[in-house]
């Protein structure tokens, strides 16, 4: 039962932690609100709580019962006098507790610490504590890493209850008149001891002695005097255990500073660091420097000089002549650095965040500039964020550093106009030129042995192919420049890494990577990609890289989330992986084939079907019917032209075709089927008149003449006369007065020469062909009736009624 309850409680705690990680109430600031008690309305998921600068004088059980996720609590600058033993019973995750600047009376009755086993940081400085004796409850702080305490007296045994605690840092705040018993710090196991002095407080000889004997790193803060004592102790002490000595926030005379440095040079201390230094009484002449030492590095950070009348060169000479491996002067407004007076053992120089100009290391005598030749051992030179401008001039300044391998010139204002050659030591391997004002010409002024080159955040638009080869270049960083396409690697034969993030690449030319046989890592993320056909190959490269199928073995960094479209608008902000550009829309030949092949196939299919189904015949007949209807609507015949017209058509045919005329033609044109009046010789020739007179009379009384053409027709003499008279009437009644019906195929060679008019009409006019297929007969008759339909104002009344 207990096990089940524990499991459920752990699950609830885990869910609560996940919710609090994203809760907006995880940080609460109730500082300086004149509070006298802990507020009861604190959010349940608060993790960071600031109650500093209030008037809370007691903490009670239950004050934090609703804040079970609390990790950081700041109770400094209150009036705390008492803290209940069960105050933090409900805060099992508490890691950082600040109780400084309160009114606690001792360090041996802090029973609330029994319930703070997760504490990593504890600050009890600046309370009203006389003795440094830590109570037994401190032994429960097994995870404690940083402990800050303050008292007026430190005695032996005060730290025995934390003897088993492996601290990272112990900070002693020395408050007011201070007493220290020799050996009091022997029970402390900490990597770093920080001693925070009060203003104008004198260094305690025994405390400093124990600190230097017991701790690897010693930090001394807020020093204003007593430097002679420290120098004397260091010079007299033989068993210095400290390897790193940090002096923080100190005010010191130049004489005391140089004396202290010279003393440290003669000890076993490896690293000396001075931060936030104010130097009084700077030198007017050079200061001697100890010739040899065991010290490896000297660092000065944020140093200032309280005087305008001094020799800057003397200050520079002291530091550049230090017999150490590393010299770092950072965040300090120095404008120059001199050359050592002799061959220097310095391996590393760091002048970051200063104001150094192009004159660095050089010496001017008269009008001649002498370059420094005594820094031959320097392997690493860091000049980040200075005032260096001329790239070619700087190459002269370092030309004699024959061991130089790493050069960092980032965050300057460097330019190179290409007007003169650069002189670099051949040993340079790593060159950082990021965040300058360099253009394409910089590639003509690079050390030939460079292996790693950082040119990010410059103004480079193209990598020229005419530069000399960088045979050893393996990594090239061109992020945040102006490149429009991938560079060609002909001049970088072993290039392994190419970074082109945040440039102006719209559609990288993947084929250029063929010139980079050794390339394994490529970053082209956050460029303004246009998702058109030209980007297809690059998208394919990204997908293959993700699937580990790239033939080139190139890994595309930040794929796919760092690659998105800016054009076209419909695909803006879509990742390239989600864009599909079909090949058919990009390949002209394929596109043409895709369109033409189906089109040709469709045309052939239609042609075959048309021939099989006689579609052309149907279309021709429909077209003729449409034209006939159109002519009938549009043609305006004057009434006087129709005087004497009684028939819609006169039919001319050979007697041998009489059966077809009687049985097919006339039934479909006359009577209920056609409604037309047809004139033909068997019915309408008048007895007693000659044939010629009858023919002429019928043609004149008919609106149109229909000729049934066949081989028999062209052999008939009377048909010839009828065609002759009809063709003359055609001149007065228009070209549509004659309608030709082809009863059977009639080749031109079968038509006698005397029928030249017939030949001419068959060549110029569309004629109706009698179809053998019965299914086509209805359309034939409809077409013929449409061609003959017309109003006959002079038709006899009796016949109309019939």
């Amino acid at each position: 039962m207990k096990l089940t309850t524990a499991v459920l409680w752990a699950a609830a705690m885990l869910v609560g932690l996940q919710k609090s990680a994203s809760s907006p109430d995880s940080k609460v600031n109730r500082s300086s609100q004149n509070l006298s008690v802990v507020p009861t309305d604190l959010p349940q998921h608060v993790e960071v709580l600031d109650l500093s600068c209030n008037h809370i004088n007691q903490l009670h059980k239950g004050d934090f019962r609703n804040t079970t996720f609390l990790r950081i609590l700041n109770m400094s600058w209150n009036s705390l006098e008492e803290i209940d033993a069960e105050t933090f019973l409900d805060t099992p995750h508490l890691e950082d507790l600040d109780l400084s600047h309160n009114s606690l009376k001792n360090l041996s009755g802090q029973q609330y610490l029994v319930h703070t086993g997760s504490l990593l940081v504890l600050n009890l400085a600046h309370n009203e504590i006389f003795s440094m004796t830590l109570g037994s409850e401190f032994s429960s702080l097994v995870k404690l890493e940083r402990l800050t305490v303050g008292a007026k007296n430190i005695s032996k045994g005060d730290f025995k209850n934390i003897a088993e605690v492996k601290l990272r840092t112990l900070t002693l705040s020395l408050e007011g008149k201070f007493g220290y018993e020799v050996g009091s710090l022997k029970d402390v196991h900490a990597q770093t001891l920080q001693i925070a002095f009060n203003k104008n407080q004198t260094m305690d000889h025994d405390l400093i002695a124990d600190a230097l004997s017991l701790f690897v790193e010693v930090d001394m803060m807020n020093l204003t005097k007593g430097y002679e004592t420290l120098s004397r102790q260091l010079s007299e002490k033989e068993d210095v255990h400290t390897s790193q000595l940090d002096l923080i926030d100190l005010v010191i005379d130049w004489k005391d500073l140089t004396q202290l440095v010279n003393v440290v040079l003669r000890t076993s201390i490896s690293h000396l660091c001075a931060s936030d230094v104010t130097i009084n009484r700077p030198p007017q002449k050079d200061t001697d420097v100890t010739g040899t030492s065991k010290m490896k590095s000297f660092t000065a950070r944020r140093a200032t000089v309280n005087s305008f009348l001094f020799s800057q060169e003397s200050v520079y000479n002291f530091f550049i002549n230090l017999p150490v491996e590393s010299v770092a002067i950072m965040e300090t407004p120095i404008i120059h650095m001199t050359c050592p007076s002799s061959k220097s053992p310095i391996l590393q120089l760091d002048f970051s965040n200063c104001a150094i100009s192009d004159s660095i290391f050089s010496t001017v005598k008269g009008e001649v500039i002498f370059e420094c030749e005594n820094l031959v051992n320097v392997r690493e030179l860091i000049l980040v964020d200075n005032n260096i401008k001329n790239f070619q001039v700087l190459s002269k300044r370092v030309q004699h550093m024959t061991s130089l391998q790493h050069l960092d010139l980032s965050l300057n204002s460097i330019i190179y106009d290409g007007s003169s050659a650069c002189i670099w030591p051949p040993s340079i391997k790593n060159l950082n030129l990021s965040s300058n004002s360099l253009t394409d010409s910089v590639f003509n002024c690079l050390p030939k042995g460079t292996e790693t080159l950082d040119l990010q955040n410059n103004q480079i638009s193209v990598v020229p192919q005419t530069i000399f080869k960088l045979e050893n270049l393996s990594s090239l960083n061109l992020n945040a420049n102006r490149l429009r396409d991938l560079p060609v690697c002909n001049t970088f034969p072993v290039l392994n890494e190419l970074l082109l993030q945040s440039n102006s690449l719209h559609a990288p030319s993947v084929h250029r990577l063929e010139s980079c046989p050794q390339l394994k890592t490529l970053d082209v993320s956050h460029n303004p990609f246009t998702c058109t056909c030209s980007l297809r190959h690059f998208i394919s490269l990204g997908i293959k890289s993700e699937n580990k199928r790239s033939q080139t073995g190139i890994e595309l960094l930040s794929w796919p989330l760092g690659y998105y479209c800016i054009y076209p608008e419909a695909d803006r902000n879509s990742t390239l992986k989600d864009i599909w550009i079909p090949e058919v829309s990009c390949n002209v030949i394929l596109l043409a084939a895709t369109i033409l092949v189906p089109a040709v196939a469709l045309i052939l299919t239609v042609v075959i079907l048309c021939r099989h189904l006689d579609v052309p015949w149907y279309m021709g007949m429909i077209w003729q019917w449409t034209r006939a209807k159109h002519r009938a609507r549009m043609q305006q015949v004057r009434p006087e032209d129709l005087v004497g017209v009684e028939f819609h058509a006169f039919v001319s045919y050979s007697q041998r075709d009489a059966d077809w005329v009687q049985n097919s033609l006339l039934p479909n044109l006359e009577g209920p089927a056609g409604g037309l009046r047809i004139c033909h010789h068997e019915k309408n020739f008048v007895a007693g008149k000659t044939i010629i007179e009858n023919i002429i009379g019928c043609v004149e009384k008919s609106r149109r003449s229909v000729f049934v053409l066949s081989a028999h027709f062209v052999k008939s003499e009377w048909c010839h006369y009828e065609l002759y008279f009809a063709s003359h009437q055609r001149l007065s009644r228009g070209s549509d007065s004659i309608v030709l019906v082809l009863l059977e195929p009639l080749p031109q060679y079968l038509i006698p020469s005397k029928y030249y008019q017939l030949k001419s009409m068959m060549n110029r006019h569309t004629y109706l062909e009698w179809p053998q297929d019965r299914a086509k007969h209805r359309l034939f008759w409809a077409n013929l009736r449409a061609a003959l339909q017309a109003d006959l104002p002079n038709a006899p009344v009796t016949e109309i009624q019939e």
Side-chain angles (χ1 to χ4, degrees):
M1 185 68 179
K2 290 182 179 179
L3 179 61
T4 304
T5 303
V7 170
L8 291 174
W9 182 86
M13 291 290 288
L14 180 59
V15 172
L17 282 172
Q18 291 175 342
K19 289 182 178 179
S20 65
S22 58
S23 172
D25 297 327
S26 61
K27 294 182 180 180
V28 175
N29 187 352
R30 298 290 179 87
S31 176
S32 302
Q33 294 188 3
N34 204 29
L35 300 173
S36 59
V37 294
V38 176
T40 58
D41 60 342
L42 295 174
Q44 182 179 0
H45 296 292
V46 62
E47 295 183 16
V48 180
L49 177 59
D50 188 352
L51 294 174
S52 62
C53 303
N54 283 294
H55 302 289
I56 303 172
N57 57 17
Q58 287 187 343
L59 293 179
H60 305 91
K61 177 183 178 181
D63 281 348
F64 302 102
R65 63 178 176 274
N66 295 323
T67 59
T68 55
F69 301 108
L70 190 64
R71 294 188 302 106
I72 301 174
L73 175 61
N74 186 354
M75 293 295 304
S76 63
W77 296 98
N78 275 278
S79 304
L80 282 175
E81 296 180 359
E82 185 179 346
I83 302 176
D84 190 278
E86 296 184 349
T87 296
F88 301 110
L89 185 63
D90 301 313
T91 57
H93 305 292
L94 189 62
E95 298 176 351
D96 190 328
L97 177 60
D98 189 348
L99 298 172
S100 63
H101 297 91
N102 280 290
S103 301
L104 300 176
K105 298 298 188 292
N106 59 71
L107 295 172
S108 59
Q110 311 300 317
Q111 292 301 317
Y112 57 87
L113 294 177
V114 174
H115 303 292
T116 59
S118 297
L119 270 185
L120 302 176
V121 180
L122 176 60
N123 190 347
L124 288 164
H126 301 285
N127 280 279
E128 298 176 3
I129 299 173
F130 176 78
S131 174
M132 191 68 80
T133 305
L134 303 183
S136 60
E137 59 274 11
F138 279 85
S139 62
S140 64
L141 305 178
V142 293
K143 296 182 179 180
L144 196 63
E145 296 180 355
R146 297 179 61 89
L147 174 61
T148 302
V149 289
K152 296 180 180 179
N153 188 62
I154 300 179
S155 304
K156 285 184 178 180
D158 284 351
F159 296 101
K160 65 180 180 181
N161 286 317
I162 61 168
E164 301 301 322
V165 179
K166 305 298 182 183
L167 293 174
R168 183 181 299 172
T169 303
L170 172 63
T171 302
L172 299 178
S173 178
L174 307 186
E175 302 167 2
K177 191 175 181 180
F178 180 75
Y180 178 82
E181 183 180 358
V182 177
S184 298
L185 294 174
K186 287 186 177 181
D187 292 324
V188 177
H189 294 88
Q191 176 72 19
T192 303
L193 175 65
Q194 290 184 339
I195 305 173
F197 296 91
N198 280 342
K199 188 175 182 181
N200 297 320
Q201 192 172 42
T202 304
M203 290 185 187
D204 186 280
H205 180 278
D206 296 330
L207 173 61
I208 299 303
D210 279 358
L212 296 173
S213 301
L214 299 172
F215 298 93
V216 174
E217 182 176 343
V218 175
D219 297 348
M220 298 184 186
M221 299 179 286
N222 306 321
L223 292 171
T224 57
K225 60 181 181 179
Y227 300 109
E228 299 88 346
T229 302
L230 178 58
S231 297
R232 184 169 58 255
Q233 279 188 279
L234 287 169
S235 61
E236 295 173 355
K237 193 170 183 61
E238 297 180 359
D239 57 337
V240 176
H241 181 67
T242 300
S243 63
Q244 180 164 335
L245 177 60
D246 290 354
L247 305 177
I248 304 169
D249 197 7
L250 66 155
V251 180
I252 189 170
D253 290 349
W254 174 258
K255 179 181 178 181
D256 293 334
L257 176 61
T258 54
Q259 181 181 359
L260 179 59
V261 172
N262 279 324
V263 168
V264 174
L265 287 171
R266 292 190 288 267
T267 67
S268 60
I269 295 176
S270 300
H271 309 283
L272 176 61
C273 179
S275 302
D276 300 297
V277 184
T278 301
I279 302 174
N280 293 325
R281 298 182 180 88
Q284 299 296 331
K285 59 181 181 178
D286 287 351
T287 305
D288 293 335
V289 182
T290 299
T292 57
S293 77
K294 297 179 182 179
M295 191 167 78
K296 294 183 178 180
S297 71
F298 171 80
T299 301
R301 185 178 284 108
R302 295 181 296 277
T304 58
V305 177
N306 280 345
S307 178
F308 293 103
L309 299 175
F310 70 99
S311 172
Q312 292 188 33
E313 187 174 349
S314 297
V315 174
Y316 302 147
N317 284 338
F318 179 81
F319 294 115
I320 199 64
N321 283 290
L322 291 174
V324 294
E325 294 180 357
S326 174
V327 173
I329 301 177
M330 299 177 287
E331 302 175 61
T332 301
I334 59 174
I335 61 174
H336 182 64
M337 182 50 63
T338 57
C339 182
S341 58
S342 59
K343 299 293 182 183
S344 173
I346 296 175
L347 303 178
Q348 182 185 49
L349 284 171
D350 188 348
F351 300 117
S352 301
N353 307 102
C354 294
I356 289 177
S357 66
D358 296 335
S359 64
I360 185 172
F361 303 133
S362 63
T363 303
V364 179
K365 294 181 179 179
E367 296 182 356
V368 181
I369 299 176
F370 293 89
E371 305 299 346
C372 183
E373 300 182 7
N374 292 329
L375 290 170
V376 293
N377 292 312
V378 172
R379 297 176 184 173
E380 184 174 359
L381 177 59
I382 301 174
L383 297 172
V384 175
D385 195 10
N386 278 276
N387 195 31
I388 297 171
K389 296 181 178 180
N390 194 309
F391 196 38
Q392 188 270 337
V393 169
L394 184 69
S395 71
K396 291 182 179 180
R397 301 290 178 258
V398 302
Q399 61 180 304
H400 299 296
M401 296 183 183
T402 53
S403 300
L404 185 62
Q405 295 182 4
H406 179 85
L407 178 59
D408 192 340
L409 299 170
S410 57
L411 290 167
N412 281 276
S413 302
I414 300 175
I415 60 172
Y416 176 66
D417 57 11
S419 61
S420 52
C422 298
I423 308 171
W424 296 102
S427 56
I428 294 180
K429 294 182 179 180
N430 304 316
L431 181 59
N432 191 337
L433 294 168
S434 62
S435 300
N436 282 283
S437 302
L438 294 164
T439 60
D440 310 344
S441 60
V442 68
F443 288 96
N444 295 312
C445 183
L446 295 173
K448 292 186 178 181
T450 304
E451 296 179 1
T452 303
L453 178 59
D454 190 342
L455 283 167
Q456 66 176 312
N457 195 24
N458 278 280
Q459 300 175 21
I460 298 170
S461 58
V462 65
V463 178
Q465 301 183 37
T466 57
I467 63 173
F468 54 83
K469 278 193 175 183
L470 297 176
E471 300 283 355
N472 302 320
L473 187 65
S474 62
S475 176
L476 176 58
N477 188 340
L478 288 168
N479 290 340
N481 276 277
R482 302 176 180 177
L483 276 86
R484 296 181 177 273
D485 206 345
L486 298 173
V488 177
C489 300
N490 295 335
T491 51
F492 319 126
V494 298
L495 190 66
N496 181 268
E497 180 183 57
L498 178 59
L499 307 179
L500 299 168
Q501 183 183 126
S502 301
N503 275 271
S504 300
L505 281 78
H506 295 281
S509 302
V510 177
H511 66 87
R512 293 193 171 197
L513 297 178
E514 297 174 0
S515 64
C516 312
Q518 303 296 323
L519 190 64
K520 300 299 179 185
T521 303
L522 176 65
D523 188 353
V524 199
S525 60
H526 302 289
N527 274 277
F529 295 107
T530 55
C531 294
T532 56
C533 290
S534 55
L535 200 65
R536 288 187 67 255
H537 295 297
F538 182 77
I539 294 175
S540 176
L541 174 67
I543 295 174
K544 289 179 180 178
S545 172
E546 182 180 15
N547 299 331
K548 308 297 183 184
R549 293 188 291 106
S550 175
Q551 296 179 353
T552 58
I554 296 176
E555 178 187 4
L556 201 60
L557 300 183
S558 302
W559 177 272
L561 297 181
Y563 300 78
Y564 42 85
C565 301
I566 66 160
Y567 179 85
E569 192 65 31
D571 296 323
R572 180 178 287 271
N573 297 327
S574 299
T575 61
L576 302 193
K577 182 181 178 181
D578 298 330
I579 296 297
W580 183 68
I581 305 174
E583 184 177 358
V584 67
S585 65
C586 302
N587 189 322
V588 176
I589 297 177
L590 184 60
L591 178 62
T594 304
I595 296 174
L596 291 177
V597 169
V600 171
L602 178 62
I603 292 171
L604 290 175
T605 302
V606 170
V607 169
I608 293 172
L609 288 175
C610 287
R611 290 187 62 84
H612 180 72
L613 301 175
D614 284 338
V615 171
W617 184 88
Y618 282 104
M619 296 300 296
M621 294 296 285
I622 292 173
W623 172 245
Q624 291 184 34
W625 180 85
T626 304
R627 289 184 61 191
K629 287 292 186 180
H630 178 71
R631 284 196 302 268
R633 287 194 303 268
M634 299 300 295
Q635 190 174 32
Q636 296 181 356
V637 181
R638 293 177 300 174
E640 57 268 24
D641 294 334
L642 297 178
V643 174
V645 174
E646 300 177 6
F647 301 96
H648 288 95
F650 165 68
V651 179
S652 174
Y653 57 93
S654 169
Q655 193 61 35
R656 293 178 179 269
D657 299 321
D659 291 340
W660 180 82
V661 172
Q662 294 293 334
N663 298 326
S664 296
L665 178 66
L666 294 178
N668 283 283
L669 296 182
E670 293 180 324
L676 301 177
R677 293 178 58 81
I678 304 301
C679 177
H680 57 96
H681 61 269
E682 291 183 358
K683 177 180 178 182
N684 298 103
F685 274 19
V686 179
K689 290 186 178 182
T690 65
I691 295 176
I692 297 298
E693 289 175 336
N694 276 307
I695 292 173
I696 294 174
C698 285
V699 170
E700 289 179 348
K701 293 178 181 179
S702 300
R703 176 73 178 85
R704 292 180 177 82
S705 298
V706 177
F707 293 92
V708 180
L709 303 179
S710 66
H712 302 300
F713 181 90
V714 297
K715 294 178 180 178
S716 171
E717 188 70 24
W718 296 115
C719 288
H720 172 69
Y721 286 122
E722 291 171 353
L723 181 64
Y724 174 79
F725 293 126
S727 63
H728 280 281
Q729 186 194 42
R730 174 171 163 269
L731 297 176
S732 61
R733 294 186 180 174
S735 60
D736 63 337
S737 63
I738 295 179
V739 178
L740 304 178
V741 175
L742 190 61
L743 191 60
E744 61 184 12
L746 187 64
Q748 291 278 332
Y749 67 87
L750 292 179
I751 302 175
S753 58
K754 65 180 180 179
Y755 281 89
Y756 65 91
Q757 290 177 327
L758 177 60
K759 288 183 178 183
S760 176
M761 283 188 284
M762 290 184 69
N763 288 332
R764 290 181 303 188
H765 298 283
T766 303
Y767 48 83
L768 299 177
E769 296 183 57
W770 169 248
Q772 299 300 318
D773 188 354
R774 294 180 60 86
K776 301 176 182 179
H777 288 179
R778 291 184 63 184
L779 185 58
F780 172 83
W781 295 124
N783 204 1
L784 182 57
R785 284 194 292 267
L788 300 179
Q789 191 68 48
D791 293 330
L792 301 180
N794 297 319
V797 175
T798 56
E799 293 190 15
I800 293 176
Q801 289 177 346
E802 291 177 3

